[in-house]
Short mmCIF file of all heavy atoms in Angstrom, two decimals:
data_model
loop_
_atom_site.label_atom_id
_atom_site.label_comp_id
_atom_site.label_asym_id
_atom_site.label_seq_id
_atom_site.Cartn_x
_atom_site.Cartn_y
_atom_site.Cartn_z
N HIS E 19 31.62 -12.93 -12.72
CA HIS E 19 30.70 -14.05 -12.85
C HIS E 19 31.44 -15.24 -13.40
O HIS E 19 32.00 -15.19 -14.49
CB HIS E 19 29.54 -13.66 -13.75
CG HIS E 19 28.61 -14.78 -14.08
ND1 HIS E 19 27.87 -15.39 -13.12
CD2 HIS E 19 28.32 -15.39 -15.24
CE1 HIS E 19 27.13 -16.34 -13.70
NE2 HIS E 19 27.40 -16.35 -14.99
N MET E 20 31.43 -16.32 -12.64
CA MET E 20 32.14 -17.52 -13.06
C MET E 20 31.17 -18.64 -13.41
O MET E 20 31.58 -19.72 -13.78
CB MET E 20 33.09 -17.96 -11.96
CG MET E 20 34.17 -16.93 -11.69
SD MET E 20 35.30 -17.39 -10.38
CE MET E 20 36.10 -18.81 -11.09
N GLY E 21 29.87 -18.40 -13.24
CA GLY E 21 28.89 -19.43 -13.54
C GLY E 21 28.86 -20.55 -12.51
O GLY E 21 28.41 -21.65 -12.82
N TRP E 22 29.33 -20.28 -11.31
CA TRP E 22 29.39 -21.32 -10.29
C TRP E 22 28.01 -21.68 -9.78
O TRP E 22 27.14 -20.84 -9.64
CB TRP E 22 30.26 -20.87 -9.14
CG TRP E 22 31.73 -20.98 -9.44
CD1 TRP E 22 32.32 -21.04 -10.66
CD2 TRP E 22 32.78 -21.04 -8.49
NE1 TRP E 22 33.67 -21.13 -10.53
CE2 TRP E 22 33.99 -21.14 -9.22
CE3 TRP E 22 32.82 -21.02 -7.11
CZ2 TRP E 22 35.23 -21.22 -8.58
CZ3 TRP E 22 34.06 -21.09 -6.48
CH2 TRP E 22 35.24 -21.20 -7.22
N THR E 23 27.84 -22.95 -9.48
CA THR E 23 26.60 -23.48 -8.93
C THR E 23 26.89 -24.10 -7.57
O THR E 23 28.00 -23.97 -7.03
CB THR E 23 26.01 -24.55 -9.87
OG1 THR E 23 26.91 -25.68 -9.90
CG2 THR E 23 25.81 -24.02 -11.28
N ASN E 24 25.92 -24.83 -7.03
CA ASN E 24 26.11 -25.51 -5.75
C ASN E 24 27.26 -26.52 -5.81
O ASN E 24 27.94 -26.74 -4.81
CB ASN E 24 24.83 -26.22 -5.34
CG ASN E 24 23.74 -25.25 -4.95
OD1 ASN E 24 24.00 -24.14 -4.53
ND2 ASN E 24 22.50 -25.66 -5.12
N VAL E 25 27.48 -27.11 -6.97
CA VAL E 25 28.55 -28.10 -7.12
C VAL E 25 29.90 -27.46 -6.85
O VAL E 25 30.70 -27.97 -6.05
CB VAL E 25 28.51 -28.74 -8.53
CG1 VAL E 25 29.71 -29.63 -8.76
CG2 VAL E 25 27.22 -29.51 -8.74
N GLU E 26 30.18 -26.37 -7.52
CA GLU E 26 31.46 -25.68 -7.32
C GLU E 26 31.57 -25.10 -5.91
O GLU E 26 32.66 -25.11 -5.32
CB GLU E 26 31.63 -24.56 -8.36
CG GLU E 26 31.85 -25.05 -9.77
CD GLU E 26 30.58 -25.42 -10.52
OE1 GLU E 26 29.46 -25.12 -10.04
OE2 GLU E 26 30.71 -26.02 -11.59
N ALA E 27 30.47 -24.62 -5.38
CA ALA E 27 30.49 -24.07 -4.02
C ALA E 27 30.84 -25.15 -3.00
O ALA E 27 31.59 -24.90 -2.06
CB ALA E 27 29.14 -23.44 -3.68
N THR E 28 30.33 -26.34 -3.20
CA THR E 28 30.62 -27.45 -2.29
C THR E 28 32.10 -27.83 -2.38
O THR E 28 32.74 -28.11 -1.36
CB THR E 28 29.72 -28.66 -2.62
OG1 THR E 28 28.36 -28.24 -2.49
CG2 THR E 28 29.98 -29.82 -1.69
N GLN E 29 32.65 -27.82 -3.57
CA GLN E 29 34.07 -28.11 -3.74
C GLN E 29 34.92 -27.02 -3.10
O GLN E 29 35.92 -27.31 -2.43
CB GLN E 29 34.41 -28.26 -5.22
CG GLN E 29 33.77 -29.47 -5.85
CD GLN E 29 33.91 -29.51 -7.36
OE1 GLN E 29 34.32 -28.53 -7.98
NE2 GLN E 29 33.57 -30.63 -7.95
N LEU E 30 34.53 -25.77 -3.30
CA LEU E 30 35.25 -24.65 -2.70
C LEU E 30 35.22 -24.74 -1.18
O LEU E 30 36.22 -24.48 -0.51
CB LEU E 30 34.66 -23.32 -3.15
CG LEU E 30 35.25 -22.06 -2.50
CD1 LEU E 30 36.73 -21.92 -2.83
CD2 LEU E 30 34.47 -20.83 -2.93
N ALA E 31 34.09 -25.14 -0.63
CA ALA E 31 33.94 -25.23 0.82
C ALA E 31 34.98 -26.17 1.43
O ALA E 31 35.50 -25.91 2.52
CB ALA E 31 32.53 -25.69 1.19
N LYS E 32 35.31 -27.24 0.72
CA LYS E 32 36.34 -28.17 1.22
C LYS E 32 37.68 -27.48 1.33
O LYS E 32 38.42 -27.68 2.30
CB LYS E 32 36.43 -29.38 0.29
CG LYS E 32 35.20 -30.25 0.32
CD LYS E 32 35.30 -31.37 -0.71
CE LYS E 32 34.00 -32.16 -0.77
NZ LYS E 32 34.04 -33.17 -1.83
N ALA E 33 38.01 -26.65 0.34
CA ALA E 33 39.28 -25.92 0.36
C ALA E 33 39.28 -24.81 1.40
O ALA E 33 40.31 -24.53 2.03
CB ALA E 33 39.57 -25.35 -1.02
N LEU E 34 38.12 -24.17 1.60
CA LEU E 34 38.04 -23.05 2.55
C LEU E 34 38.40 -23.46 3.97
O LEU E 34 38.86 -22.64 4.75
CB LEU E 34 36.63 -22.46 2.54
CG LEU E 34 36.27 -21.59 1.35
CD1 LEU E 34 34.81 -21.15 1.45
CD2 LEU E 34 37.17 -20.38 1.25
N ARG E 35 38.22 -24.71 4.30
CA ARG E 35 38.55 -25.19 5.64
C ARG E 35 40.05 -25.04 5.94
O ARG E 35 40.47 -25.15 7.08
CB ARG E 35 38.10 -26.63 5.81
CG ARG E 35 36.60 -26.78 5.70
CD ARG E 35 36.14 -28.21 5.89
NE ARG E 35 34.76 -28.39 5.51
CZ ARG E 35 33.71 -28.00 6.20
NH1 ARG E 35 33.87 -27.37 7.34
NH2 ARG E 35 32.49 -28.23 5.76
N HIS E 36 40.84 -24.81 4.89
CA HIS E 36 42.30 -24.68 5.05
C HIS E 36 42.79 -23.27 4.73
O HIS E 36 43.99 -23.05 4.65
CB HIS E 36 43.00 -25.69 4.14
CG HIS E 36 42.53 -27.08 4.36
ND1 HIS E 36 42.91 -27.84 5.44
CD2 HIS E 36 41.65 -27.84 3.64
CE1 HIS E 36 42.31 -29.01 5.38
NE2 HIS E 36 41.54 -29.04 4.31
N CYS E 37 41.89 -22.33 4.56
CA CYS E 37 42.24 -20.96 4.16
C CYS E 37 42.15 -20.01 5.35
O CYS E 37 41.32 -19.12 5.40
CB CYS E 37 41.33 -20.49 3.02
SG CYS E 37 41.53 -21.45 1.53
N HIS E 38 43.02 -20.20 6.29
CA HIS E 38 42.97 -19.44 7.54
C HIS E 38 43.35 -17.97 7.36
O HIS E 38 43.01 -17.14 8.20
CB HIS E 38 43.87 -20.09 8.59
CG HIS E 38 43.61 -21.54 8.75
ND1 HIS E 38 42.46 -22.03 9.34
CD2 HIS E 38 44.31 -22.63 8.36
CE1 HIS E 38 42.48 -23.35 9.34
NE2 HIS E 38 43.59 -23.75 8.74
N LYS E 39 44.03 -17.63 6.28
CA LYS E 39 44.47 -16.25 6.07
C LYS E 39 43.64 -15.51 5.02
O LYS E 39 43.91 -14.36 4.73
CB LYS E 39 45.94 -16.23 5.67
CG LYS E 39 46.85 -16.73 6.78
CD LYS E 39 48.29 -16.61 6.42
CE LYS E 39 49.16 -17.10 7.58
NZ LYS E 39 50.57 -16.92 7.32
N LEU E 40 42.61 -16.16 4.50
CA LEU E 40 41.74 -15.54 3.50
C LEU E 40 41.03 -14.33 4.10
O LEU E 40 40.43 -14.41 5.16
CB LEU E 40 40.70 -16.55 3.01
CG LEU E 40 39.71 -16.07 1.96
CD1 LEU E 40 40.44 -15.87 0.63
CD2 LEU E 40 38.59 -17.08 1.80
N LYS E 41 41.12 -13.18 3.42
CA LYS E 41 40.50 -11.95 3.92
C LYS E 41 39.22 -11.59 3.19
O LYS E 41 38.33 -11.00 3.78
CB LYS E 41 41.49 -10.79 3.85
CG LYS E 41 42.63 -10.92 4.83
CD LYS E 41 43.45 -9.66 4.89
CE LYS E 41 44.51 -9.81 5.96
NZ LYS E 41 45.19 -8.58 6.23
N GLU E 42 39.13 -11.91 1.91
CA GLU E 42 37.95 -11.55 1.12
C GLU E 42 37.52 -12.75 0.28
O GLU E 42 38.36 -13.44 -0.30
CB GLU E 42 38.25 -10.38 0.19
CG GLU E 42 38.59 -9.11 0.92
CD GLU E 42 38.84 -7.94 -0.03
OE1 GLU E 42 38.68 -8.10 -1.25
OE2 GLU E 42 39.19 -6.87 0.47
N LEU E 43 36.21 -12.94 0.20
CA LEU E 43 35.65 -14.00 -0.63
C LEU E 43 34.50 -13.40 -1.43
O LEU E 43 33.50 -12.98 -0.86
CB LEU E 43 35.16 -15.16 0.24
CG LEU E 43 34.58 -16.36 -0.49
CD1 LEU E 43 35.58 -16.96 -1.48
CD2 LEU E 43 34.14 -17.43 0.52
N HIS E 44 34.69 -13.31 -2.73
CA HIS E 44 33.71 -12.68 -3.61
C HIS E 44 33.09 -13.76 -4.51
O HIS E 44 33.76 -14.27 -5.39
CB HIS E 44 34.38 -11.60 -4.48
CG HIS E 44 35.00 -10.51 -3.67
ND1 HIS E 44 34.48 -9.24 -3.66
CD2 HIS E 44 36.06 -10.49 -2.85
CE1 HIS E 44 35.23 -8.49 -2.85
NE2 HIS E 44 36.18 -9.24 -2.35
N LEU E 45 31.84 -14.08 -4.25
CA LEU E 45 31.14 -15.10 -5.03
C LEU E 45 29.85 -14.55 -5.63
O LEU E 45 28.95 -15.31 -5.97
CB LEU E 45 30.84 -16.31 -4.14
CG LEU E 45 32.06 -17.07 -3.62
CD1 LEU E 45 31.66 -18.11 -2.60
CD2 LEU E 45 32.81 -17.70 -4.77
N GLY E 46 29.77 -13.24 -5.76
CA GLY E 46 28.58 -12.62 -6.33
C GLY E 46 28.42 -12.94 -7.80
O GLY E 46 29.35 -13.38 -8.48
N ASP E 47 27.21 -12.74 -8.30
CA ASP E 47 26.88 -12.92 -9.71
C ASP E 47 27.11 -14.36 -10.19
O ASP E 47 27.67 -14.59 -11.25
CB ASP E 47 27.68 -11.96 -10.60
CG ASP E 47 27.32 -10.51 -10.34
OD1 ASP E 47 26.12 -10.21 -10.30
OD2 ASP E 47 28.23 -9.69 -10.17
N ASN E 48 26.70 -15.31 -9.40
CA ASN E 48 26.79 -16.72 -9.77
C ASN E 48 25.42 -17.36 -9.66
O ASN E 48 24.41 -16.66 -9.62
CB ASN E 48 27.82 -17.43 -8.89
CG ASN E 48 29.24 -17.14 -9.34
OD1 ASN E 48 29.68 -17.60 -10.38
ND2 ASN E 48 29.96 -16.36 -8.54
N SER E 49 25.39 -18.66 -9.59
CA SER E 49 24.12 -19.39 -9.48
C SER E 49 24.10 -20.25 -8.23
O SER E 49 23.62 -21.38 -8.24
CB SER E 49 23.91 -20.26 -10.72
OG SER E 49 23.81 -19.45 -11.87
N LEU E 50 24.66 -19.72 -7.14
CA LEU E 50 24.67 -20.46 -5.89
C LEU E 50 23.27 -20.47 -5.30
O LEU E 50 22.60 -19.45 -5.26
CB LEU E 50 25.63 -19.83 -4.88
CG LEU E 50 27.08 -19.63 -5.31
CD1 LEU E 50 27.87 -19.05 -4.16
CD2 LEU E 50 27.68 -20.92 -5.79
N GLY E 51 22.87 -21.62 -4.80
CA GLY E 51 21.59 -21.75 -4.13
C GLY E 51 21.80 -22.01 -2.66
O GLY E 51 22.92 -21.86 -2.13
N ASP E 52 20.75 -22.44 -2.00
CA ASP E 52 20.83 -22.69 -0.56
C ASP E 52 21.87 -23.74 -0.20
O ASP E 52 22.64 -23.56 0.74
CB ASP E 52 19.46 -23.14 -0.03
CG ASP E 52 18.46 -22.00 0.00
OD1 ASP E 52 18.86 -20.83 0.07
OD2 ASP E 52 17.25 -22.30 -0.03
N HIS E 53 21.91 -24.84 -0.96
CA HIS E 53 22.85 -25.92 -0.64
C HIS E 53 24.30 -25.44 -0.73
O HIS E 53 25.11 -25.71 0.16
CB HIS E 53 22.61 -27.11 -1.57
CG HIS E 53 23.54 -28.25 -1.31
ND1 HIS E 53 23.44 -29.05 -0.20
CD2 HIS E 53 24.60 -28.70 -2.02
CE1 HIS E 53 24.41 -29.96 -0.23
NE2 HIS E 53 25.13 -29.77 -1.34
N GLY E 54 24.63 -24.73 -1.79
CA GLY E 54 25.97 -24.20 -1.94
C GLY E 54 26.32 -23.18 -0.87
O GLY E 54 27.43 -23.17 -0.35
N CYS E 55 25.35 -22.34 -0.56
CA CYS E 55 25.54 -21.34 0.49
C CYS E 55 25.79 -22.00 1.84
O CYS E 55 26.67 -21.60 2.59
CB CYS E 55 24.33 -20.42 0.55
SG CYS E 55 24.50 -19.09 1.74
N GLU E 56 25.02 -23.04 2.13
CA GLU E 56 25.21 -23.76 3.40
C GLU E 56 26.59 -24.40 3.46
O GLU E 56 27.25 -24.36 4.51
CB GLU E 56 24.14 -24.83 3.56
CG GLU E 56 22.77 -24.25 3.87
CD GLU E 56 21.70 -25.32 3.94
OE1 GLU E 56 21.70 -26.24 3.09
OE2 GLU E 56 20.86 -25.24 4.84
N ALA E 57 27.05 -24.98 2.37
CA ALA E 57 28.37 -25.60 2.34
C ALA E 57 29.45 -24.57 2.62
O ALA E 57 30.37 -24.80 3.42
CB ALA E 57 28.61 -26.27 0.98
N ILE E 58 29.34 -23.41 1.97
CA ILE E 58 30.33 -22.34 2.18
C ILE E 58 30.29 -21.86 3.63
O ILE E 58 31.33 -21.71 4.27
CB ILE E 58 30.03 -21.15 1.23
CG1 ILE E 58 30.16 -21.60 -0.20
CG2 ILE E 58 30.89 -19.94 1.57
CD1 ILE E 58 31.41 -21.33 -0.92
N THR E 59 29.09 -21.61 4.15
CA THR E 59 29.01 -21.06 5.51
C THR E 59 29.48 -22.06 6.57
O THR E 59 30.01 -21.64 7.59
CB THR E 59 27.59 -20.56 5.84
OG1 THR E 59 26.66 -21.62 5.64
CG2 THR E 59 27.21 -19.39 4.99
N GLU E 60 29.34 -23.34 6.31
CA GLU E 60 29.85 -24.33 7.26
C GLU E 60 31.37 -24.28 7.36
O GLU E 60 31.94 -24.61 8.39
CB GLU E 60 29.39 -25.73 6.86
CG GLU E 60 27.92 -25.97 7.13
CD GLU E 60 27.42 -27.30 6.58
OE1 GLU E 60 28.25 -28.12 6.11
OE2 GLU E 60 26.21 -27.52 6.61
N ALA E 61 32.03 -23.85 6.29
CA ALA E 61 33.49 -23.76 6.28
C ALA E 61 34.00 -22.43 6.83
O ALA E 61 35.17 -22.31 7.19
CB ALA E 61 34.01 -23.96 4.86
N LEU E 62 33.14 -21.43 6.91
CA LEU E 62 33.59 -20.09 7.30
C LEU E 62 34.26 -19.98 8.67
O LEU E 62 35.18 -19.19 8.83
CB LEU E 62 32.42 -19.10 7.22
CG LEU E 62 31.96 -18.75 5.80
CD1 LEU E 62 30.83 -17.75 5.86
CD2 LEU E 62 33.10 -18.23 4.95
N PRO E 63 33.84 -20.75 9.68
CA PRO E 63 34.55 -20.63 10.96
C PRO E 63 36.05 -20.93 10.86
O PRO E 63 36.82 -20.44 11.67
CB PRO E 63 33.82 -21.65 11.85
CG PRO E 63 32.44 -21.68 11.30
CD PRO E 63 32.64 -21.58 9.81
N SER E 64 36.46 -21.67 9.85
CA SER E 64 37.89 -21.95 9.64
C SER E 64 38.62 -20.75 9.04
O SER E 64 39.84 -20.66 9.12
CB SER E 64 38.07 -23.14 8.69
OG SER E 64 37.49 -24.29 9.26
N CYS E 65 37.88 -19.85 8.45
CA CYS E 65 38.45 -18.66 7.80
C CYS E 65 38.53 -17.54 8.82
O CYS E 65 37.79 -16.55 8.76
CB CYS E 65 37.60 -18.24 6.60
SG CYS E 65 37.40 -19.53 5.38
N THR E 66 39.43 -17.67 9.75
CA THR E 66 39.49 -16.77 10.90
C THR E 66 39.90 -15.34 10.55
O THR E 66 39.70 -14.44 11.36
CB THR E 66 40.44 -17.34 11.97
OG1 THR E 66 41.71 -17.60 11.36
CG2 THR E 66 39.89 -18.63 12.55
N SER E 67 40.45 -15.11 9.36
CA SER E 67 40.86 -13.76 8.95
C SER E 67 39.87 -13.11 8.00
O SER E 67 40.08 -11.98 7.56
CB SER E 67 42.23 -13.82 8.26
OG SER E 67 43.21 -14.28 9.17
N LEU E 68 38.77 -13.80 7.69
CA LEU E 68 37.81 -13.29 6.71
C LEU E 68 37.18 -11.99 7.19
O LEU E 68 36.66 -11.90 8.29
CB LEU E 68 36.72 -14.33 6.45
CG LEU E 68 35.78 -14.02 5.28
CD1 LEU E 68 36.54 -14.07 3.96
CD2 LEU E 68 34.63 -15.01 5.26
N GLU E 69 37.24 -10.97 6.33
CA GLU E 69 36.67 -9.67 6.64
C GLU E 69 35.51 -9.32 5.73
O GLU E 69 34.68 -8.49 6.08
CB GLU E 69 37.75 -8.59 6.50
CG GLU E 69 38.90 -8.74 7.47
CD GLU E 69 40.05 -7.77 7.20
OE1 GLU E 69 39.97 -7.00 6.22
OE2 GLU E 69 41.03 -7.81 7.96
N SER E 70 35.46 -9.94 4.55
CA SER E 70 34.43 -9.58 3.57
C SER E 70 33.94 -10.83 2.84
O SER E 70 34.74 -11.59 2.29
CB SER E 70 35.01 -8.58 2.56
OG SER E 70 34.09 -8.33 1.52
N LEU E 71 32.63 -11.01 2.83
CA LEU E 71 31.99 -12.11 2.12
C LEU E 71 30.92 -11.51 1.22
O LEU E 71 30.00 -10.86 1.70
CB LEU E 71 31.36 -13.10 3.09
CG LEU E 71 30.52 -14.22 2.48
CD1 LEU E 71 31.37 -15.12 1.59
CD2 LEU E 71 29.85 -15.03 3.58
N ARG E 72 31.05 -11.70 -0.08
CA ARG E 72 30.08 -11.13 -1.03
C ARG E 72 29.37 -12.26 -1.75
O ARG E 72 30.00 -13.05 -2.45
CB ARG E 72 30.79 -10.21 -2.02
CG ARG E 72 31.38 -9.00 -1.34
CD ARG E 72 31.96 -8.05 -2.33
NE ARG E 72 32.61 -6.95 -1.62
CZ ARG E 72 33.17 -5.94 -2.22
NH1 ARG E 72 33.18 -5.86 -3.54
NH2 ARG E 72 33.74 -4.99 -1.52
N LEU E 73 28.07 -12.29 -1.58
CA LEU E 73 27.24 -13.33 -2.19
C LEU E 73 26.08 -12.74 -2.99
O LEU E 73 25.11 -13.43 -3.28
CB LEU E 73 26.69 -14.26 -1.09
CG LEU E 73 27.72 -15.08 -0.33
CD1 LEU E 73 27.10 -15.72 0.90
CD2 LEU E 73 28.32 -16.14 -1.24
N HIS E 74 26.17 -11.49 -3.36
CA HIS E 74 25.08 -10.81 -4.06
C HIS E 74 24.78 -11.48 -5.40
O HIS E 74 25.64 -12.11 -6.00
CB HIS E 74 25.40 -9.33 -4.24
CG HIS E 74 26.63 -9.09 -5.05
ND1 HIS E 74 27.90 -9.22 -4.50
CD2 HIS E 74 26.80 -8.77 -6.34
CE1 HIS E 74 28.79 -8.98 -5.44
NE2 HIS E 74 28.15 -8.70 -6.58
N ARG E 75 23.57 -11.30 -5.84
CA ARG E 75 23.09 -11.81 -7.13
C ARG E 75 23.34 -13.30 -7.32
O ARG E 75 23.94 -13.74 -8.29
CB ARG E 75 23.68 -11.01 -8.28
CG ARG E 75 23.17 -9.59 -8.31
CD ARG E 75 23.57 -8.89 -9.60
NE ARG E 75 23.54 -7.46 -9.38
CZ ARG E 75 24.58 -6.65 -9.50
NH1 ARG E 75 25.75 -7.11 -9.87
NH2 ARG E 75 24.45 -5.37 -9.27
N ASN E 76 22.85 -14.09 -6.39
CA ASN E 76 22.84 -15.54 -6.48
C ASN E 76 21.39 -15.99 -6.31
O ASN E 76 20.49 -15.16 -6.33
CB ASN E 76 23.74 -16.15 -5.40
CG ASN E 76 25.20 -16.16 -5.81
OD1 ASN E 76 25.61 -16.95 -6.65
ND2 ASN E 76 25.99 -15.27 -5.22
N SER E 77 21.19 -17.26 -6.15
CA SER E 77 19.83 -17.80 -5.95
C SER E 77 19.67 -18.31 -4.53
O SER E 77 19.09 -19.37 -4.30
CB SER E 77 19.57 -18.92 -6.96
OG SER E 77 19.64 -18.42 -8.27
N ILE E 78 20.19 -17.57 -3.59
CA ILE E 78 20.14 -17.97 -2.18
C ILE E 78 18.80 -17.57 -1.60
O ILE E 78 18.38 -16.42 -1.69
CB ILE E 78 21.29 -17.30 -1.40
CG1 ILE E 78 22.63 -17.75 -1.98
CG2 ILE E 78 21.19 -17.63 0.08
CD1 ILE E 78 23.82 -16.95 -1.49
N GLY E 79 18.12 -18.55 -1.00
CA GLY E 79 16.82 -18.32 -0.41
C GLY E 79 16.90 -18.24 1.11
O GLY E 79 17.98 -18.01 1.69
N ALA E 80 15.78 -18.43 1.75
CA ALA E 80 15.68 -18.30 3.21
C ALA E 80 16.58 -19.30 3.94
O ALA E 80 17.19 -18.97 4.95
CB ALA E 80 14.23 -18.48 3.65
N GLN E 81 16.68 -20.50 3.42
CA GLN E 81 17.50 -21.53 4.07
C GLN E 81 18.99 -21.14 4.04
O GLN E 81 19.69 -21.27 5.04
CB GLN E 81 17.29 -22.87 3.38
CG GLN E 81 17.98 -24.03 4.03
CD GLN E 81 17.64 -25.35 3.35
OE1 GLN E 81 16.66 -25.45 2.62
NE2 GLN E 81 18.44 -26.35 3.59
N GLY E 82 19.45 -20.66 2.91
CA GLY E 82 20.84 -20.21 2.81
C GLY E 82 21.11 -18.98 3.65
O GLY E 82 22.15 -18.88 4.29
N ALA E 83 20.15 -18.06 3.65
CA ALA E 83 20.30 -16.85 4.47
C ALA E 83 20.37 -17.21 5.95
O ALA E 83 21.16 -16.63 6.70
CB ALA E 83 19.14 -15.90 4.21
N ALA E 84 19.56 -18.17 6.38
CA ALA E 84 19.58 -18.61 7.78
C ALA E 84 20.94 -19.22 8.12
O ALA E 84 21.45 -19.02 9.23
CB ALA E 84 18.46 -19.61 8.03
N ALA E 85 21.54 -19.94 7.17
CA ALA E 85 22.86 -20.52 7.41
C ALA E 85 23.90 -19.43 7.62
O ALA E 85 24.75 -19.53 8.50
CB ALA E 85 23.25 -21.42 6.24
N ILE E 86 23.83 -18.37 6.81
CA ILE E 86 24.75 -17.25 6.96
C ILE E 86 24.59 -16.59 8.32
O ILE E 86 25.55 -16.34 9.03
CB ILE E 86 24.54 -16.21 5.84
CG1 ILE E 86 24.88 -16.81 4.48
CG2 ILE E 86 25.38 -14.95 6.10
CD1 ILE E 86 24.44 -15.97 3.30
N VAL E 87 23.36 -16.33 8.69
CA VAL E 87 23.08 -15.69 9.99
C VAL E 87 23.60 -16.55 11.14
O VAL E 87 24.17 -16.03 12.09
CB VAL E 87 21.56 -15.40 10.14
CG1 VAL E 87 21.23 -14.97 11.57
CG2 VAL E 87 21.13 -14.34 9.15
N SER E 88 23.44 -17.87 11.05
CA SER E 88 23.87 -18.74 12.15
C SER E 88 25.38 -18.73 12.33
O SER E 88 25.87 -18.97 13.42
CB SER E 88 23.37 -20.16 11.93
OG SER E 88 24.08 -20.80 10.88
N VAL E 89 26.13 -18.42 11.25
CA VAL E 89 27.58 -18.35 11.37
C VAL E 89 28.02 -16.97 11.86
O VAL E 89 28.90 -16.85 12.70
CB VAL E 89 28.26 -18.68 10.01
CG1 VAL E 89 29.73 -18.36 10.04
CG2 VAL E 89 28.04 -20.14 9.68
N ILE E 90 27.38 -15.93 11.34
CA ILE E 90 27.76 -14.57 11.71
C ILE E 90 27.30 -14.23 13.14
O ILE E 90 28.00 -13.58 13.90
CB ILE E 90 27.19 -13.55 10.70
CG1 ILE E 90 27.83 -13.78 9.34
CG2 ILE E 90 27.43 -12.12 11.17
CD1 ILE E 90 27.24 -12.96 8.23
N PHE E 91 26.10 -14.71 13.49
CA PHE E 91 25.53 -14.46 14.81
C PHE E 91 25.17 -15.81 15.44
O PHE E 91 24.00 -16.19 15.48
CB PHE E 91 24.27 -13.59 14.70
CG PHE E 91 24.49 -12.28 14.00
CD1 PHE E 91 24.02 -12.07 12.71
CD2 PHE E 91 25.19 -11.26 14.61
CE1 PHE E 91 24.22 -10.86 12.06
CE2 PHE E 91 25.40 -10.05 13.96
CZ PHE E 91 24.92 -9.85 12.69
N PRO E 92 26.16 -16.54 15.95
CA PRO E 92 25.92 -17.90 16.44
C PRO E 92 24.84 -18.04 17.51
O PRO E 92 24.20 -19.09 17.60
CB PRO E 92 27.27 -18.34 17.01
CG PRO E 92 28.26 -17.34 16.59
CD PRO E 92 27.52 -16.12 16.13
N GLY E 93 24.59 -17.04 18.28
CA GLY E 93 23.59 -17.14 19.34
C GLY E 93 22.24 -16.58 18.95
O GLY E 93 21.35 -16.44 19.79
N ALA E 94 22.04 -16.30 17.66
CA ALA E 94 20.79 -15.67 17.22
C ALA E 94 19.60 -16.61 17.40
O ALA E 94 19.72 -17.81 17.24
CB ALA E 94 20.91 -15.28 15.75
N PRO E 95 18.44 -16.05 17.76
CA PRO E 95 17.24 -16.87 17.89
C PRO E 95 16.88 -17.52 16.55
O PRO E 95 17.17 -16.98 15.50
CB PRO E 95 16.15 -15.86 18.29
CG PRO E 95 16.86 -14.62 18.68
CD PRO E 95 18.22 -14.67 18.03
N GLY E 96 16.28 -18.68 16.62
CA GLY E 96 15.84 -19.36 15.42
C GLY E 96 16.88 -20.25 14.81
O GLY E 96 16.70 -20.84 13.78
N LYS E 97 18.00 -20.37 15.49
CA LYS E 97 19.08 -21.21 14.97
C LYS E 97 18.73 -22.66 15.10
O LYS E 97 18.11 -23.12 15.99
CB LYS E 97 20.38 -20.92 15.69
CG LYS E 97 21.54 -21.72 15.16
CD LYS E 97 22.80 -21.35 15.86
CE LYS E 97 23.89 -22.31 15.40
NZ LYS E 97 25.06 -22.26 16.17
#
């Protein structure tokens, strides 16, 4: 637990766009909300080696969850 919020997640998202070899991203047990989650997921396509994304125990709601689904399953209905 690092106490990260949407602010830190947005800053991290900028760096993630350059992390092509990143394999694991563990952000569980923080205070990320939908905005932070959306920022992170927008950067994920740049993380072409990512195998594991952990976001458990945050404050991510339906909007953030939808952002995750749209990246993992780009052709999913409701996008």
Side-chain angles (χ1 to χ4, degrees):
H19 174 65
M20 297 179 65
W22 282 21
T23 66
N24 290 334
V25 173
E26 291 82 11
T28 301
Q29 293 171 349
L30 175 63
K32 293 175 186 176
L34 285 176
R35 297 181 192 285
H36 306 284
C37 296
H38 309 289
K39 295 184 179 184
L40 180 70
K41 290 189 176 190
E42 296 182 4
L43 182 57
H44 300 250
L45 295 172
D47 296 312
N48 282 290
S49 297
L50 305 182
D52 288 336
H53 180 72
C55 183
E56 288 176 318
I58 298 262
T59 55
E60 287 173 7
L62 289 181
S64 299
C65 303
T66 54
S67 297
L68 190 67
E69 297 173 358
S70 174
L71 173 63
R72 295 185 184 182
L73 295 168
H74 61 282
R75 292 190 202 119
N76 277 287
S77 298
I78 299 168
Q81 186 176 342
I86 295 168
V87 170
S88 72
V89 169
I90 295 173
F91 303 107
K97 182 177 173 193

